[in-house]
Amino acid sequence: MVDFMLLYRVMKKRLSLVLFTTTLSGVLCAQDATFAEGLLRRKMYTEAAEEFALLLASCPADSAEAIDFKLRLAECYAKTGRTQEAVQFYMQVAGSSTTGDHRATARLRIAHLKLEAKDYENAIAAYKEALRNNPADHETRYNLIHAIEQLKQQQEQQQNQENQDEQEQGQQEQQEQAVQQVPGVLPFY
């Protein structure tokens, strides 16, 4: 016969141990996050990235902590010039976040990175997505306008360069034809 009181006491101890361990890991996680935040404030981005990566690995993938750690990790990557990794983490946050604020923040930071890289078309798309998540953000609206102006300027420069190249090509062809029409003069090749 099973002694239910004994079973109850054993299960209660195990449950207490699990709850204690979970609480302890939460406290340790908070302390580690504080340490990583301190590294970030001190502009020790590489070290902070390592800490945030460890913290991210230690928490559930879709938890609020994981989203915060991904944002911080992406920030560290962006500051150290690891733009691709930063964009990947920002995209994860934008795709998995349940709050509009996190999505808007991630899209806004992607847009800033794209703008810095002079990838104006993708920057414009990211700014528009950020505005969908936070339509009242006037700074994002200003940055969108700036990105559109930069894209227009880039397109004008490309068009001017193409026109100049065509003119130079036409002039070169005219010179070659003029040399061929002069009797007794051999063209130089």
Side-chain angles (χ1 to χ4, degrees):
M1 180 112 170
V2 176
D3 184 2
F4 287 107
M5 286 307 288
L6 179 64
L7 183 61
Y8 172 75
R9 281 188 228 132
V10 169
M11 292 304 289
K12 186 176 177 183
K13 284 183 181 180
R14 285 188 181 171
L15 181 60
S16 296
L17 181 61
V18 168
L19 290 175
F20 174 75
T21 305
T22 304
T23 304
L24 182 60
S25 72
V27 170
L28 292 176
C29 187
Q31 289 175 345
D32 289 343
T34 303
F35 177 68
E37 290 287 341
L39 291 172
L40 186 61
R41 278 192 302 277
R42 288 182 187 86
K43 298 182 181 181
M44 299 173 71
Y45 301 119
T46 303
E47 295 82 1
E50 291 172 4
E51 290 297 320
F52 283 119
L54 290 172
L55 289 168
L56 182 59
S58 71
C59 62
D62 290 335
S63 66
E65 292 84 14
I67 292 170
D68 289 336
F69 295 153
K70 286 177 185 178
L71 281 172
R72 295 294 188 220
L73 184 57
E75 183 180 347
C76 292
Y77 284 155
K79 296 289 187 180
T80 57
R82 296 170 62 180
T83 306
Q84 291 295 348
E85 291 97 334
V87 169
Q88 286 174 346
F89 278 102
Y90 285 138
M91 291 297 289
Q92 287 178 17
V93 171
S96 67
S97 178
T98 58
T99 66
D101 290 343
H102 282 113
R103 280 194 305 270
T105 299
R107 290 287 179 191
L108 185 59
R109 290 184 182 167
I110 290 169
H112 289 326
L113 291 173
K114 296 294 184 181
L115 187 64
E116 287 176 12
K118 298 184 180 184
D119 183 1
Y120 300 121
E121 290 178 3
N122 287 324
I124 290 168
Y127 280 128
K128 286 180 179 179
E129 187 65 32
L131 280 171
R132 282 186 200 101
N133 291 315
N134 187 3
D137 188 352
H138 298 295
E139 184 178 342
T140 300
R141 193 173 312 281
Y142 170 80
N143 287 329
L144 172 62
I145 292 168
H146 176 69
I148 291 170
E149 289 172 351
Q150 291 295 317
L151 178 63
K152 286 180 182 179
Q153 185 179 12
Q154 184 185 52
Q155 289 171 340
E156 288 174 2
Q157 288 174 349
Q158 288 174 346
Q159 185 63 41
N160 289 341
Q161 184 64 40
E162 288 173 7
N163 291 342
Q164 186 177 359
D165 291 345
E166 288 175 8
Q167 282 181 341
E168 290 174 2
Q169 180 72 24
Q171 288 174 352
Q172 186 177 6
E173 288 174 3
Q174 286 177 352
Q175 288 175 351
E176 288 174 3
Q177 287 177 356
V179 169
Q180 288 176 356
Q181 291 177 357
V182 176
V185 177
L186 296 175
F188 296 104
Y189 293 105

mmCIF file of all heavy atoms in Angstrom, residues 31-52:
data_model
loop_
_atom_site.group_PDB
_atom_site.id
_atom_site.type_symbol
_atom_site.label_atom_id
_atom_site.label_comp_id
_atom_site.label_asym_id
_atom_site.label_seq_id
_atom_site.Cartn_x
_atom_site.Cartn_y
_atom_site.Cartn_z
ATOM 1 N N GLN A 31 21.079 39.566 -11.544
ATOM 2 C CA GLN A 31 22.406 40.082 -11.211
ATOM 3 C C GLN A 31 23.309 40.072 -12.433
ATOM 4 O O GLN A 31 24.043 41.016 -12.682
ATOM 5 C CB GLN A 31 23.019 39.272 -10.073
ATOM 6 C CG GLN A 31 22.364 39.513 -8.743
ATOM 7 C CD GLN A 31 22.915 38.613 -7.646
ATOM 8 O OE1 GLN A 31 23.598 37.626 -7.919
ATOM 9 N NE2 GLN A 31 22.591 38.948 -6.417
ATOM 10 N N ASP A 32 23.259 38.995 -13.221
ATOM 11 C CA ASP A 32 24.065 38.924 -14.433
ATOM 12 C C ASP A 32 23.634 39.988 -15.430
ATOM 13 O O ASP A 32 24.465 40.578 -16.114
ATOM 14 C CB ASP A 32 23.959 37.532 -15.066
ATOM 15 C CG ASP A 32 24.680 36.471 -14.248
ATOM 16 O OD1 ASP A 32 25.510 36.843 -13.389
ATOM 17 O OD2 ASP A 32 24.404 35.278 -14.465
ATOM 18 N N ALA A 33 22.326 40.235 -15.522
ATOM 19 C CA ALA A 33 21.830 41.271 -16.421
ATOM 20 C C ALA A 33 22.339 42.633 -15.973
ATOM 21 O O ALA A 33 22.712 43.460 -16.806
ATOM 22 C CB ALA A 33 20.304 41.247 -16.482
ATOM 23 N N THR A 34 22.368 42.864 -14.690
ATOM 24 C CA THR A 34 22.896 44.119 -14.162
ATOM 25 C C THR A 34 24.364 44.272 -14.522
ATOM 26 O O THR A 34 24.812 45.351 -14.920
ATOM 27 C CB THR A 34 22.708 44.191 -12.628
ATOM 28 O OG1 THR A 34 21.322 44.033 -12.336
ATOM 29 C CG2 THR A 34 23.212 45.500 -12.071
ATOM 30 N N PHE A 35 25.115 43.183 -14.410
ATOM 31 C CA PHE A 35 26.531 43.204 -14.775
ATOM 32 C C PHE A 35 26.689 43.513 -16.263
ATOM 33 O O PHE A 35 27.497 44.358 -16.653
ATOM 34 C CB PHE A 35 27.173 41.853 -14.433
ATOM 35 C CG PHE A 35 28.612 41.745 -14.839
ATOM 36 C CD1 PHE A 35 29.590 42.497 -14.208
ATOM 37 C CD2 PHE A 35 28.994 40.890 -15.862
ATOM 38 C CE1 PHE A 35 30.922 42.410 -14.576
ATOM 39 C CE2 PHE A 35 30.315 40.787 -16.240
ATOM 40 C CZ PHE A 35 31.284 41.543 -15.600
ATOM 41 N N ALA A 36 25.899 42.850 -17.100
ATOM 42 C CA ALA A 36 25.977 43.071 -18.545
ATOM 43 C C ALA A 36 25.580 44.502 -18.895
ATOM 44 O O ALA A 36 26.207 45.142 -19.751
ATOM 45 C CB ALA A 36 25.079 42.068 -19.276
ATOM 46 N N GLU A 37 24.547 45.021 -18.230
ATOM 47 C CA GLU A 37 24.130 46.407 -18.460
ATOM 48 C C GLU A 37 25.252 47.376 -18.083
ATOM 49 O O GLU A 37 25.464 48.387 -18.746
ATOM 50 C CB GLU A 37 22.864 46.736 -17.664
ATOM 51 C CG GLU A 37 21.611 46.070 -18.152
ATOM 52 C CD GLU A 37 21.074 46.647 -19.451
ATOM 53 O OE1 GLU A 37 21.440 47.781 -19.818
ATOM 54 O OE2 GLU A 37 20.292 45.950 -20.093
ATOM 55 N N GLY A 38 25.946 47.074 -16.987
ATOM 56 C CA GLY A 38 27.073 47.904 -16.575
ATOM 57 C C GLY A 38 28.177 47.920 -17.626
ATOM 58 O O GLY A 38 28.764 48.967 -17.909
ATOM 59 N N LEU A 39 28.462 46.768 -18.204
ATOM 60 C CA LEU A 39 29.452 46.701 -19.284
ATOM 61 C C LEU A 39 29.002 47.542 -20.477
ATOM 62 O O LEU A 39 29.807 48.255 -21.090
ATOM 63 C CB LEU A 39 29.667 45.251 -19.716
ATOM 64 C CG LEU A 39 30.361 44.331 -18.710
ATOM 65 C CD1 LEU A 39 30.322 42.879 -19.188
ATOM 66 C CD2 LEU A 39 31.802 44.776 -18.485
ATOM 67 N N LEU A 40 27.724 47.466 -20.784
ATOM 68 C CA LEU A 40 27.180 48.233 -21.904
ATOM 69 C C LEU A 40 27.300 49.734 -21.636
ATOM 70 O O LEU A 40 27.716 50.492 -22.513
ATOM 71 C CB LEU A 40 25.716 47.840 -22.137
ATOM 72 C CG LEU A 40 25.013 48.439 -23.347
ATOM 73 C CD1 LEU A 40 25.709 48.033 -24.637
ATOM 74 C CD2 LEU A 40 23.566 47.987 -23.374
ATOM 75 N N ARG A 41 26.985 50.163 -20.413
ATOM 76 C CA ARG A 41 27.099 51.585 -20.062
ATOM 77 C C ARG A 41 28.544 52.062 -20.124
ATOM 78 O O ARG A 41 28.804 53.218 -20.438
ATOM 79 C CB ARG A 41 26.532 51.836 -18.665
ATOM 80 C CG ARG A 41 25.027 51.994 -18.637
ATOM 81 C CD ARG A 41 24.539 52.539 -17.295
ATOM 82 N NE ARG A 41 24.920 51.706 -16.170
ATOM 83 C CZ ARG A 41 24.272 50.622 -15.766
ATOM 84 N NH1 ARG A 41 23.198 50.230 -16.415
ATOM 85 N NH2 ARG A 41 24.679 49.925 -14.732
ATOM 86 N N ARG A 42 29.469 51.165 -19.833
ATOM 87 C CA ARG A 42 30.895 51.524 -19.869
ATOM 88 C C ARG A 42 31.469 51.412 -21.283
ATOM 89 O O ARG A 42 32.669 51.529 -21.471
ATOM 90 C CB ARG A 42 31.678 50.621 -18.927
ATOM 91 C CG ARG A 42 31.423 50.926 -17.467
ATOM 92 C CD ARG A 42 32.258 50.028 -16.558
ATOM 93 N NE ARG A 42 31.922 50.198 -15.182
ATOM 94 C CZ ARG A 42 30.937 49.565 -14.542
ATOM 95 N NH1 ARG A 42 30.172 48.700 -15.186
ATOM 96 N NH2 ARG A 42 30.695 49.787 -13.273
ATOM 97 N N LYS A 43 30.612 51.137 -22.247
ATOM 98 C CA LYS A 43 30.981 51.015 -23.662
ATOM 99 C C LYS A 43 31.948 49.862 -23.903
ATOM 100 O O LYS A 43 32.773 49.904 -24.806
ATOM 101 C CB LYS A 43 31.534 52.327 -24.201
ATOM 102 C CG LYS A 43 30.519 53.446 -24.144
ATOM 103 C CD LYS A 43 31.042 54.722 -24.721
ATOM 104 C CE LYS A 43 29.958 55.799 -24.601
ATOM 105 N NZ LYS A 43 30.364 57.052 -25.158
ATOM 106 N N MET A 44 31.829 48.830 -23.090
ATOM 107 C CA MET A 44 32.608 47.603 -23.268
ATOM 108 C C MET A 44 31.712 46.626 -24.045
ATOM 109 O O MET A 44 31.216 45.646 -23.515
ATOM 110 C CB MET A 44 33.027 47.053 -21.908
ATOM 111 C CG MET A 44 33.901 48.017 -21.121
ATOM 112 S SD MET A 44 34.239 47.467 -19.437
ATOM 113 C CE MET A 44 35.348 46.113 -19.737
ATOM 114 N N TYR A 45 31.516 46.950 -25.313
ATOM 115 C CA TYR A 45 30.496 46.282 -26.114
ATOM 116 C C TYR A 45 30.781 44.805 -26.365
ATOM 117 O O TYR A 45 29.855 43.988 -26.343
ATOM 118 C CB TYR A 45 30.301 47.024 -27.436
ATOM 119 C CG TYR A 45 29.898 48.457 -27.236
ATOM 120 C CD1 TYR A 45 30.694 49.495 -27.698
ATOM 121 C CD2 TYR A 45 28.718 48.784 -26.570
ATOM 122 C CE1 TYR A 45 30.327 50.813 -27.513
ATOM 123 C CE2 TYR A 45 28.343 50.102 -26.375
ATOM 124 C CZ TYR A 45 29.152 51.111 -26.852
ATOM 125 O OH TYR A 45 28.788 52.415 -26.654
ATOM 126 N N THR A 46 32.027 44.456 -26.594
ATOM 127 C CA THR A 46 32.354 43.054 -26.860
ATOM 128 C C THR A 46 32.071 42.199 -25.633
ATOM 129 O O THR A 46 31.457 41.127 -25.740
ATOM 130 C CB THR A 46 33.831 42.922 -27.278
ATOM 131 O OG1 THR A 46 34.051 43.753 -28.430
ATOM 132 C CG2 THR A 46 34.183 41.501 -27.622
ATOM 133 N N GLU A 47 32.501 42.664 -24.478
ATOM 134 C CA GLU A 47 32.270 41.925 -23.237
ATOM 135 C C GLU A 47 30.782 41.863 -22.904
ATOM 136 O O GLU A 47 30.269 40.833 -22.472
ATOM 137 C CB GLU A 47 33.042 42.563 -22.076
ATOM 138 C CG GLU A 47 34.558 42.498 -22.218
ATOM 139 C CD GLU A 47 35.143 43.591 -23.108
ATOM 140 O OE1 GLU A 47 34.385 44.452 -23.624
ATOM 141 O OE2 GLU A 47 36.374 43.581 -23.307
ATOM 142 N N ALA A 48 30.090 42.984 -23.121
ATOM 143 C CA ALA A 48 28.643 43.013 -22.859
ATOM 144 C C ALA A 48 27.920 42.044 -23.794
ATOM 145 O O ALA A 48 26.992 41.347 -23.367
ATOM 146 C CB ALA A 48 28.103 44.432 -23.038
ATOM 147 N N ALA A 49 28.354 41.974 -25.046
ATOM 148 C CA ALA A 49 27.731 41.042 -26.000
ATOM 149 C C ALA A 49 27.886 39.602 -25.529
ATOM 150 O O ALA A 49 26.937 38.812 -25.604
ATOM 151 C CB ALA A 49 28.344 41.220 -27.386
ATOM 152 N N GLU A 50 29.063 39.270 -25.017
ATOM 153 C CA GLU A 50 29.280 37.911 -24.500
ATOM 154 C C GLU A 50 28.335 37.612 -23.336
ATOM 155 O O GLU A 50 27.748 36.537 -23.263
ATOM 156 C CB GLU A 50 30.736 37.741 -24.060
ATOM 157 C CG GLU A 50 31.731 37.746 -25.201
ATOM 158 C CD GLU A 50 33.175 37.781 -24.733
ATOM 159 O OE1 GLU A 50 33.437 37.719 -23.503
ATOM 160 O OE2 GLU A 50 34.066 37.874 -25.599
ATOM 161 N N GLU A 51 28.194 38.577 -22.439
ATOM 162 C CA GLU A 51 27.312 38.384 -21.283
ATOM 163 C C GLU A 51 25.847 38.256 -21.706
ATOM 164 O O GLU A 51 25.125 37.392 -21.214
ATOM 165 C CB GLU A 51 27.467 39.540 -20.286
ATOM 166 C CG GLU A 51 28.792 39.547 -19.559
ATOM 167 C CD GLU A 51 28.993 38.322 -18.686
ATOM 168 O OE1 GLU A 51 28.033 37.878 -18.030
ATOM 169 O OE2 GLU A 51 30.129 37.809 -18.659
ATOM 170 N N PHE A 52 25.419 39.123 -22.625
ATOM 171 C CA PHE A 52 24.030 39.049 -23.078
ATOM 172 C C PHE A 52 23.760 37.749 -23.842
ATOM 173 O O PHE A 52 22.672 37.197 -23.754
ATOM 174 C CB PHE A 52 23.660 40.263 -23.928
ATOM 175 C CG PHE A 52 23.415 41.500 -23.116
ATOM 176 C CD1 PHE A 52 24.187 42.631 -23.285
ATOM 177 C CD2 PHE A 52 22.397 41.542 -22.163
ATOM 178 C CE1 PHE A 52 23.962 43.773 -22.535
ATOM 179 C CE2 PHE A 52 22.168 42.677 -21.401
ATOM 180 C CZ PHE A 52 22.950 43.797 -21.593
#
